[in-house]
Amino acid sequence: MAASGTNRRYEHLVASLGNELFEAIRSAKILMVGAGGIGCELLKNLVLTGFHDIEIIDIDTIDLSNLNRQFLFQRKHIGMPKSQVAKESALRFNPDANILAHHGNIKDSKYGPEFFKKFTLVMNALDNIDARRHVNRLCIATETPLIESATEGYLGQIQVIKRGVMECYECQPKPAPKTYAYCTIRSSPTKPIHCIIWAKEEFLTHFGDQERVVNQEQEEEITDEEVKAEEAKIEAIKEKSFSEYLFRKLFYLEIYKKIRIAQLTKKDLWPGRETPVPIMLDQLHLYSNGTNDSTNSVESLPDQQIMSLKQNADLFIDSVNRLVERRSKTGAMDFDKDDDDALNFVTAASNLRSHIFTIPVQSRFSIKSLAGNIIPAIATTNAVIAGLIVVESFKILRNSIEKCRTVVLQKKPSAGRLLLSCASEKPNPDCYVCSSHFVTLECDTDLMTLGVLVEGILRGRLGMNEPSITVDSDILFESGEDLDEEEVKRMKLQSAKKLSECRIVNGTIIEIDDISQNFQLKISIVHKNNFAEEGQTFNIVGKATPLPTATKTKGEDKLDEKAQDDDEVMIVDAPAVPPPAPSKKRKAQFEEKDAKKSKVVSLD
């Protein structure tokens, strides 16, 4: 490119990078996913390096807490879409760039495989595993190179991903999210995080989408007259003041009921611990403050101070009143750590519950970090990682992807170096995403429902977006925007069934298809009803477990011969249950593929 006129700004780039690489940079079409800490630094680097054709996707809006490290944003931008403001700010560095901003969710169907195919390179600047897995699968499906990145405090890492050349994001197992036994959360919390999780569930129960609320507590069966009298008193004030009703219900009645159950059954529900103390709203002055003023520094910010019991009670009443008013206007809400009313509710509710169970109360700042799963971020770390992303992109654009390195930024020098690099690993042959497409699921098929399989495992643990479940040629479950109202109702009924009622039993192989990710997976089911860890209900293994050999009966030799020719034949010992009919879209897909799959054979 001639370095004259408006292109004079690129003279130094042509001189340092060479004409061939610079032309590749100018012609490359880049997708950048995420416009937060890493994204702001990365977008600035891209436009200053001469990248011309860039698209950005981010679902978030700008919050005050972003301004200390996301330098493309200012106070006047609070509440505005990150992607749009990042675009406008980056254009000041290089008005010649062509940037298209999308304010939306990368998991939306419009950002599917066809959308990804048009890009030369994808750069991830995300802050959650779920979205990373989704982008990884789309890049694997479309064979688009991906540069993955992450930071946490002083630590950072980048990784280049290319199908068939180097390992993908899911080739190595990621730490499973920490889970807690449901009975601990609801009945015997011992840590602040237990109370925070409980408070978030209560927020969704009273102000969220009821159909998305999972594991709502079933009311204990108790016929005690004293409890009934207290219930009647509290129910009487519901119409007059919902906030006062909810306070009395959560922090007095529910605790009082548990104490009465313990007394009537003569069971110690809290062994080795103090019995919880219910809180009465009109007698707050009788309780200990629940805080030590010496823990609050005069210089500390309000959000970092520990509130008294009365302050938490007042905050709870105020937040409930605000949320009730908002719900009447806008409908159901999701918990958002940056929503002041939602965070105030969770802060106050978790601290009040902590007081009841003699657990140290927390500051609003600490609760925001725990409730929002916030990872500490440092601007310098983001800048280093963003720079490394651009360096690795040069190797890809030079068609030298084999020279790409995985680079780790350390907190402390090792052999005098903060940056350590190594050759990228080859794909893991057992990876269920880019290689084997096969995993084993251990679970109790008589207890687990199809809904838990979909929400907790396929979406929650395996990062799928719109999964459909097939056993042989029968579709047991499907999801997606194309389902009509009747189909949605049928799927809801289907979700309540136990796996065994859906013919998913020990030895069954189920096929999962996620059209939005262009991703297919087979899952081998192993029935198991006891696990080593408390609260564990399933286990996922990244490689298929051999199916148990069925006992042959007369006439089965021919069936075995057919099975050797057609590996999609499966023998199950469950009774046949008619599955729901596929949607119109799914029918069309089966016709288009002309799928010839064998029927399930049921042996007596």
Side-chain angles (χ1 to χ4, degrees), residues 76-284:
K76 65 181 180 181
H77 296 135
I78 291 175
M80 298 173 65
K82 285 186 176 181
S83 56
Q84 185 61 38
V85 176
K87 166 191 170 179
E88 294 169 359
S89 299
L91 287 175
R92 296 177 187 169
F93 291 94
N94 185 356
D96 187 42
N98 177 30
I99 305 174
L100 179 60
H102 304 276
H103 180 221
N105 190 339
I106 188 61
K107 297 179 73 174
D108 287 348
S109 57
K110 61 183 177 181
Y111 305 124
E114 291 303 315
F115 176 79
F116 271 69
K117 285 178 182 177
K118 64 183 181 181
F119 295 103
T120 310
L121 176 61
V122 177
M123 299 176 177
N124 261 358
L126 290 161
D127 61 358
N128 69 88
I129 291 177
D130 189 41
R132 285 187 173 110
R133 290 191 295 198
H134 183 76
V135 173
N136 175 68
R137 293 175 190 186
L138 285 170
C139 287
I140 292 296
T142 58
E143 300 191 39
T144 306
L146 167 65
I147 303 180
E148 179 59 72
S149 64
T151 63
E152 180 178 348
Y154 294 100
L155 306 176
Q157 178 176 326
I158 67 160
Q159 171 191 6
V160 177
I161 295 167
K162 182 69 167 69
R163 179 177 176 177
V165 179
M166 47 196 63
E167 67 178 8
C168 78
Y169 179 73
E170 297 173 84
C171 275
Q172 301 301 328
K174 302 293 182 290
K178 178 65 177 175
T179 59
Y180 300 93
Y182 189 64
C183 58
T184 300
I185 300 298
R186 300 302 308 188
S187 301
S188 55
T190 58
K191 302 175 182 178
I193 187 63
H194 296 159
C195 298
I196 293 170
I197 294 171
W198 171 86
K200 288 175 67 176
E201 283 206 1
E202 289 299 329
F203 174 86
L204 294 175
T205 298
H206 299 289
F207 305 107
D209 183 352
Q210 293 302 305
E211 293 188 2
R212 298 290 291 179
V213 176
V214 182
N215 286 335
Q216 288 194 42
E217 181 183 26
Q218 299 296 316
E219 293 290 334
E220 291 98 337
E221 293 292 333
I222 181 169
T223 57
D224 183 59
E225 293 300 323
E226 292 184 23
V227 170
K228 286 186 176 181
E230 293 297 330
E231 286 178 336
K233 289 179 186 177
I234 292 175
E235 195 67 29
I237 64 173
K238 187 174 184 179
E239 293 299 324
K240 180 181 177 182
S241 173
F242 181 78
S243 57
E244 185 175 339
Y245 156 79
L246 191 59
F247 186 101
R248 294 176 184 270
K249 179 178 184 294
L250 296 179
F251 307 116
Y252 175 75
L253 180 60
E254 288 192 5
I255 306 303
Y256 178 68
K257 286 171 67 175
K258 294 182 189 301
I259 294 173
R260 287 296 293 159
I261 289 172
Q263 292 171 345
L264 295 171
T265 60
K266 294 182 169 43
K267 291 182 180 178
D268 187 358
L269 301 182
W270 307 280
R273 299 179 56 202
E274 294 182 24
T275 300
V277 180
I279 299 175
M280 302 202 50
L281 185 59
D282 51 358
Q283 296 181 13
L284 292 176

Side-chain angles (χ1 to χ4, degrees), residues 302-372:
D303 274 8
Q304 295 176 333
Q305 296 192 3
I306 304 297
M307 291 184 288
S308 68
L309 180 63
K310 186 177 187 310
Q311 287 174 319
N312 278 300
D314 290 343
L315 185 63
F316 180 85
I317 296 294
D318 180 68
S319 64
V320 171
N321 288 335
R322 290 175 177 274
L323 289 167
V324 168
E325 184 179 355
R326 284 175 55 186
R327 185 183 58 186
S328 66
K329 296 177 181 178
T330 61
M333 293 169 273
D334 287 324
F335 175 76
D336 183 348
K337 63 179 173 50
D338 296 321
D339 182 326
D340 282 341
D341 294 332
L343 181 60
N344 285 343
F345 176 92
V346 170
T347 298
S350 61
N351 276 339
L352 290 166
R353 188 168 176 84
S354 293
H355 179 89
I356 289 169
F357 286 93
T358 323
I359 298 170
V361 296
Q362 304 295 307
S363 69
R364 188 175 185 271
F365 179 83
S366 296
I367 289 173
K368 181 176 182 178
S369 297
L370 292 168

Side-chain angles (χ1 to χ4, degrees), residues 351-513:
N351 276 339
L352 290 166
R353 188 168 176 84
S354 293
H355 179 89
I356 289 169
F357 286 93
T358 323
I359 298 170
V361 296
Q362 304 295 307
S363 69
R364 188 175 185 271
F365 179 83
S366 296
I367 289 173
K368 181 176 182 178
S369 297
L370 292 168
N373 298 317
I374 297 174
I375 297 174
I378 296 175
T380 306
T381 308
N382 292 336
V384 172
I385 294 301
L388 291 170
I389 293 173
V390 175
V391 170
E392 294 304 307
S393 73
F394 292 164
K395 301 173 186 177
I396 296 172
L397 295 176
R398 282 191 173 117
N399 294 318
S400 300
I401 195 168
E402 70 281 354
K403 295 182 180 179
C404 288
R405 312 279 288 179
T406 295
V407 186
V408 176
L409 174 62
Q410 303 181 106
K411 184 175 182 179
K412 295 181 179 180
S414 174
R417 301 174 63 185
L418 280 173
L419 289 175
L420 296 181
S421 69
C422 61
S424 299
E425 296 289 338
K426 298 295 183 184
N428 179 358
D430 294 333
C431 176
Y432 68 89
V433 174
C434 68
S435 297
S436 69
H437 294 277
F438 216 137
V439 298
T440 295
L441 171 64
E442 298 174 338
C443 65
D444 190 332
T445 57
D446 294 326
L447 291 180
M448 180 175 286
T449 64
L450 195 64
V452 171
L453 173 63
V454 172
E455 294 296 333
I457 298 176
L458 300 184
R459 286 193 173 119
R461 284 292 299 276
L462 298 180
M464 296 186 182
N465 195 29
E466 296 180 356
S468 295
I469 302 174
T470 304
V471 173
D472 198 44
S473 60
D474 294 330
I475 298 176
L476 300 183
F477 182 88
E478 56 185 329
S479 57
E481 299 173 356
D482 65 302
L483 299 183
D484 59 32
E485 188 174 342
E486 285 301 315
E487 290 167 341
V488 171
K489 288 181 180 178
R490 284 194 287 111
M491 291 304 107
K492 189 173 181 180
L493 292 174
Q494 189 78 348
S495 296
K497 294 180 181 179
K498 302 293 191 293
L499 295 186
S500 56
E501 295 174 333
C502 301
R503 295 182 293 113
I504 300 177
V505 294
N506 188 57
T508 303
I509 294 179
I510 60 176
E511 298 182 31
I512 315 298
D513 186 7

